Amino acid sequence: MNRLIFDNSFTRELPADPEKANYRRQVTGACYSRVKPAPVAAPKLVACSLETAQLLDLSADACGRDEFTQIFSGNRLLPGMDPYAACYGGHQFGNWAGQLGDGRAINLGEIINRKSQRLTLQLKGAGSTPYSRNADGLAVLRSSVREFLCSEAMFHLGVPTTRALSLILTGEMVERDMFYDGHPKEEPGAVVCRVAPSFTRFGNFEIFASRNETGVLKQLLDYTIRTDFPDPGESVIPDTRGYIAPYPEKSVNRVYINWFEDVCRRTADMIAHWMRVGFVHGVMNTDNMSVLGLTIDYGPYGWLENYDPNWTPNTTDANGRRYRFGHQPSVAHWNLAQLANAIYPVVGDVDALQQALSVYASRFQEQWNIMVGAKLGLREFEPDTDKELANELFTILSLVETDMTIFFRRLALVDFSGYEEDGSYKSTESMVKKTENTGAGNAGKKPKPNSINRDLLPETLMDAYYVPEQLTDDYKNRMARWLKRYAQRITRDNLPHETRRVNMNSVNPKYVLRNYLAQLAIDKAEQEDFSMIHDLLETLRNPYSEQPDKEHFAIKRPDWARHRPGCSMLSCSS
Ligand code: AMP
Ligand code: MG
């Protein structure tokens, strides 16, 4: 543990709340309040991510020691830690919500690792802070399992995200009304240690703009650019601590505009990744948007099972569906506009901010095209023809319940080399492929031949459908027509089948944290069986690889999970 060298720039360089006592209040003129984690009764390590430990230069051995559990449950502080809760605000579901802040997250401090990377350690569920409003500052096991597993799953999928080091039971019970229906229950409490270069959100800037605290706003902006965006290509801006004078009107400061553009770009990239893997964040409030473009705050998120752009896992958002899968790109744009408004008092130039904001849309389109082209295994996305091809596929996928993850893996298996103009195959030989196991449902059986069935649909795609009775003649004809166009398109690319398969499998995951899998792991964990958490953590380390003994984690949602709370319906209660 003494490998952890702390260098707490956030608390050192930004204004602190002068009030030392820990009670709920509005905190003005400050970026944070110092507060200590609440000690817990009987901490017990449930799981630890070795990759995140490595990021901190901690060995597996170190993670197994009692000292580790004591520290990352909040029971013990290391020399050099300077714990605090950050002040931020946010737009929740489209409305300004005022001060929010770290209500149950306590930052322990920043370490510099051997690679000179700056990383903030943060405990989630470590007790109340001045920002806890009317809640308890605690987290329950179920939401902590979800945060822990999903952070790491996203990392291995190549999606920008905050990381999770550890998941620790506190040995205390916490009361939660899971569906806000007047039926509270006692649940086991837990703490997750999260790790990220910083946890600064859009809302950290919004709060100061909303209070006309332009001085602090500028300090935070300068600090963030200096510390979180130390691009050597950019001019490193001077430390302007103590700056309070109003910014000269109309003078464009390229540093701020460039920074905002960078945030737009990072956000666009993150959203394109979400759309690629079928992730629905569920609560894209501006306080849940990281300026680093990291996926942050894993609450009522979910994974698309059947491809449905209108789906949201969040029951709190069931009416407006503001944060549904297909709406995420435009919500991110809206959120960025709020960030632009927030920094306007410092930047002082609407046109420049508008122009920078437009970078989001163009960058997202560019990333979307690249991503869709890759999902389809194209050499290159050619907008003139491929846009229509992709749109038609997404429409078809939403017509009947089609598992998005399975569909793309199976599409990669179909060998179109013998495909004829009329939709038939030249020779039966090329239809039979035994390159991959075809699913746990068939464990022990021979892999299905990769043949076209009597409905002109490749047999291997059939496993992607939830309700075979939904496959009407109209549907089958439309899909067959699409497959024909797709076959023609990839024939034009002239890539060997095997190359296309490998390429597609490197962007279309086989293993994602399916909603029901997370729930099964939680059910077991609540019975003190943590084996499934470990098993999932291990499997999700290699989401793009075939793992023959893990096929049971790649099958589509079983019917019992269709309407089970926790599987398809989640609330913000956590
Ligand atoms: P979230 O919807 O989880 O992003 O949280 C929105 C705001 O509520 C943030 O300021 C959180 O820190 C705060 N919050 C959420 N849950 C709790 C809790 N159990 N205790 C205190 N504050 C909380
Ligand atoms: Mg949040």
Side-chain angles (χ1 to χ4, degrees):
M1 271 335 135
N2 40 21
R3 286 208 189 287
L4 298 177
I5 301 160
F6 287 89
D7 177 63
N8 303 315
S9 66
F10 196 92
T11 51
R12 188 173 62 234
E13 299 185 26
L14 293 168
D17 171 12
E19 174 63 86
K20 299 278 184 294
N22 185 4
Y23 63 94
R24 286 129 217 234
R25 58 184 180 270
Q26 292 291 307
V27 174
T28 57
C31 290
Y32 64 93
S33 307
R34 287 198 164 85
V35 58
K36 291 199 168 52
V40 302
K44 180 175 171 177
L45 182 70
V46 171
C48 174
S49 159
L50 293 181
E51 285 88 3
T52 305
Q54 248 168 31
L55 206 55
L56 305 175
D57 305 322
L58 293 177
S59 64
D61 234 24
C63 300
R65 292 199 199 111
D66 179 57
E67 187 192 12
F68 180 93
T69 305
Q70 296 298 335
I71 293 165
F72 294 108
S73 62
N75 268 358
R76 194 183 301 166
L77 292 177
L78 282 172
M81 283 180 174
D82 187 12
Y84 69 93
C87 179
Y88 56 80
H91 279 85
Q92 297 189 317
F93 300 95
N95 304 307
W96 175 243
Q99 176 181 298
L100 299 165
D102 287 331
R104 57 163 163 180
I106 296 181
N107 302 278
L108 297 173
E110 298 153 45
I111 65 121
I112 310 273
N113 70 9
R114 280 200 202 116
K115 291 186 183 153
S116 304
Q117 293 163 318
R118 177 177 296 276
L119 293 159
T120 302
L121 306 180
Q122 183 186 78
L123 301 184
K124 185 166 175 180
S128 68
T129 76
Y131 309 96
S132 296
R133 297 180 291 161
N134 49 9
D136 55 12
L138 305 173
V140 293
L141 180 61
R142 93 186 123 79
S143 65
S144 305
V145 168
R146 287 169 52 81
E147 169 118 28
F148 176 81
L149 282 178
C150 203
S151 309
E152 293 307 283
M154 292 284 264
F155 167 73
H156 292 294
L157 283 164
V159 183
T161 178
T162 62
R163 304 294 301 277
L165 172 67
S166 53
L167 167 61
I168 297 176
L169 272 168
T170 59
E172 293 170 11
M173 299 303 276
V174 174
E175 197 180 82
R176 283 290 179 274
D177 186 356
M178 189 157 124
F179 283 103
Y180 305 119
D181 59 0
H183 296 97
K185 253 182 40 187
E186 293 259 292
E187 299 187 44
V191 177
V192 168
C193 177
R194 307 198 287 192
V195 177
S198 92
F199 290 89
T200 304
R201 304 141 190 271
F202 293 8
N204 288 71
F205 298 92
E206 289 179 279
I207 189 72
F208 300 119
S210 80
R211 290 168 168 169
N212 293 321
E213 294 179 359
T214 311
V216 188
L217 175 65
K218 185 173 187 309
Q219 271 182 282
L220 179 65
L221 197 50
D222 290 348
Y223 164 82
T224 301
I225 296 172
R226 222 173 33 239
T227 316
D228 287 341
F229 293 76
D231 183 344
E234 298 256 359
S235 61
V236 176
I237 68 161
D239 183 345
T240 50
R241 261 174 284 173
Y243 181 98
I244 348 180
Y247 209 72
E249 230 182 23
K250 279 283 169 198
S251 94
V252 182
N253 192 326
R254 259 343 281 184
V255 176
Y256 299 127
I257 298 295
N258 288 349
W259 172 77
F260 180 63
E261 254 187 51
D262 198 357
V263 178
C264 289
R265 247 180 259 116
R266 287 166 185 252
T267 306
D269 294 0
M270 173 186 80
I271 303 287
H273 278 293
W274 290 2
M275 305 311 279
R276 171 174 66 86
V277 298
F279 176 78
V280 191
H281 183 284
V283 210
M284 288 177 71
N285 293 333
T286 55
D287 53 302
N288 291 337
M289 298 289 293
S290 141
V291 290
L292 286 167
L294 304 174
T295 313
I296 192 172
D297 279 10
Y298 291 90
Y301 67 82
W303 293 83
L304 278 195
E305 288 154 344
N306 52 300
Y307 179 82
D308 175 4
N310 289 322
W311 185 70
T312 174
N314 184 358
T315 51
T316 318
D317 188 27
N319 288 328
R321 289 180 186 256
R322 182 179 175 86
Y323 300 141
R324 61 192 183 271
F325 178 70
H327 205 215
Q328 298 185 120
S330 46
V331 168
H333 197 197
W334 190 90
N335 288 344
L336 284 161
Q338 305 315 309
L339 178 60
N341 284 339
I343 63 169
Y344 168 76
V346 173
V347 179
D349 189 309
V350 175
D351 294 343
L353 278 171
Q354 282 283 10
Q355 219 173 19
L357 179 60
S358 72
V359 168
Y360 170 78
S362 49
R363 174 75 171 202
F364 179 74
Q365 192 58 55
E366 181 190 306
Q367 292 300 304
W368 170 268
N369 288 353
I370 294 171
M371 179 272 280
V372 169
K375 279 186 90 66
L376 291 174
L378 309 179
R379 263 186 210 271
E380 205 175 329
F381 187 89
E382 296 164 11
D384 287 349
T385 52
D386 300 341
K387 198 167 166 225
E388 227 283 295
L389 183 76
N391 288 348
E392 171 66 358
L393 175 63
F394 287 120
T395 304
I396 295 175
L397 291 183
S398 64
L399 291 177
V400 302
E401 287 187 39
T402 318
D403 191 278
M404 175 180 170
T405 306
I406 296 178
F407 180 84
F408 281 100
R409 290 294 285 206
R410 294 308 173 85
L411 188 63
L413 270 183
V414 182
D415 181 352
F416 288 94
S417 43
Y419 214 71
E420 292 280 328
E421 278 295 298
D422 65 358
S424 66
Y425 268 109
K426 241 185 240 159
S427 71
T428 44
E429 280 87 61
S430 66
M431 299 182 205
V432 186
K433 281 251 144 204
K434 291 181 181 173
T435 43
E436 274 187 53
N437 201 340
T438 56
N442 307 310
K445 288 189 211 160
K446 270 194 185 162
K448 274 184 203 163
N450 179 27
S451 60
I452 296 287
N453 68 15
R454 64 190 157 79
D455 300 310
L456 293 182
L457 299 184
E459 191 59 40
T460 192
L461 294 183
M462 290 300 133
D463 247 10
Y465 294 112
Y466 279 91
V467 190
E469 302 79 64
Q470 288 177 340
L471 306 184
T472 60
D473 286 347
D474 273 358
Y475 174 85
K476 287 183 262 194
N477 287 331
R478 193 164 170 183
M479 181 55 113
R481 271 199 307 278
W482 184 84
L483 285 166
K484 189 170 154 188
R485 284 177 61 194
Y486 177 59
Q488 288 163 346
R489 174 66 183 85
I490 57 177
T491 306
R492 185 147 62 79
D493 265 355
N494 202 19
L495 276 180
H497 167 62
E498 192 52 21
T499 309
R500 178 179 139 267
R501 187 181 71 81
V502 169
N503 289 350
M504 286 175 75
N505 284 356
S506 69
V507 293
N508 296 315
K510 167 121 184 184
Y511 299 98
V512 294
L513 184 59
R514 289 174 178 274
N515 311 311
Y516 79 92
L517 292 176
Q519 187 55 44
L520 287 177
I522 291 164
D523 291 343
K524 289 192 175 178
E526 287 178 344
Q527 306 301 314
E528 289 181 44
D529 171 0
F530 307 121
S531 57
M532 193 166 167
I533 295 177
H534 299 142
D535 219 6
L536 279 172
L537 182 64
E538 184 57 31
T539 306
L540 295 168
R541 291 173 76 205
N542 295 294
Y544 299 101
S545 309
E546 294 293 325
Q547 300 180 51
D549 56 331
K550 300 296 177 201
E551 286 286 335
H552 52 290
F553 288 151
I555 59 171
K556 52 184 186 256
R557 174 200 60 217
D559 225 38
W560 60 259
R562 189 179 278 268
H563 300 297
R564 207 195 126 181
C567 296
S568 56
M569 295 177 287
L570 291 135
S571 76
C572 288
S573 160
S574 58

